[in-house]
Amino acid sequence: PMIKTLTLLLLFSCVCCTAHGQGGLPNSRVNVGVGIGMPYGGIGTKTILGPRNSGLMIGLGIFPGGIVGYEIGAQLGIQSFYLNAGYGISSVYQVNDEPIESVTCGNFMLGYMINLNPKKTVFLDLSLGHTIGAPTVDVGPFRENQGGVTFAFGVGWRLAIKD
């Protein structure tokens, strides 16, 4: 699993390095996005409250089976790159005909925002990371670790402050 994780991180880094024109981001205190992944609460929204993509991170969404997903944490943005860490629902699972259960754990992610317009207020949000402290669950006669590599993908908007 470690080789796969490192390979994915290397591939992700190459994609990020090929993006261009990412300097000089607009002055914003709120970033809002819609997408999929743990920071989006499954399928939902991700909001960063703080200057220039750094601050409180709140994700709220939904998982299969109608389970409400969430993540709360912090994000540090450096130009178009960011690192975030949070705690919330990472996935759901079901054993045979039992009710759908959620997996709650920590998460850290490295991400990159690719600007989609000249004013740099709309961006593509790509991130890759790993869960922390995900439980091991009984699946029939087997025990299965619910942790692992995680990803997120979304489209976001920087709510720019006029200078």
Side-chain angles (χ1 to χ4, degrees):
M2 187 59 129
I3 296 293
K4 288 181 183 177
T5 302
L6 290 175
T7 302
L8 287 172
L9 285 171
L10 179 61
L11 180 61
F12 183 72
S13 297
C14 290
V15 169
C16 292
C17 290
T18 60
H20 58 82
Q22 300 298 308
L25 298 178
N27 189 17
S28 66
R29 299 231 185 271
V30 178
N31 286 3
V32 178
V34 293
I36 62 169
M38 193 170 169
Y40 293 93
I43 299 172
T45 64
K46 170 183 162 186
T47 303
I48 306 297
L49 302 173
R52 295 189 186 256
N53 201 36
S54 294
L56 177 66
M57 176 180 63
I58 302 168
L60 186 61
I62 193 158
F63 279 93
I67 293 181
V68 174
Y70 68 91
E71 182 170 9
I72 183 108
Q75 180 164 296
L76 173 64
I78 302 169
Q79 287 297 326
S80 291
F81 284 96
Y82 65 83
L83 177 65
N84 67 36
Y87 182 83
I89 296 177
S90 66
S91 62
V92 295
Y93 68 94
Q94 184 176 22
V95 178
N96 299 325
D97 293 330
E98 295 179 19
I100 296 174
E101 300 286 334
S102 61
V103 176
T104 306
C105 63
N107 182 41
F108 69 89
M109 300 190 90
L110 173 65
Y112 193 76
M113 299 169 294
I114 300 170
N115 294 315
L116 297 177
N117 67 342
K119 292 184 178 183
K120 300 179 183 178
T121 54
V122 180
F123 58 90
L124 191 63
D125 183 3
L126 305 169
S127 60
L128 185 65
H130 204 281
T131 58
I132 304 166
T136 299
V137 299
D138 293 323
V139 180
F142 305 103
R143 294 189 50 77
E144 185 176 303
N145 186 335
Q146 298 295 303
V149 174
T150 184
F151 73 94
F153 172 81
V155 175
W157 295 265
R158 293 180 185 96
L159 305 180
I161 299 171
K162 295 185 181 192
D163 294 324

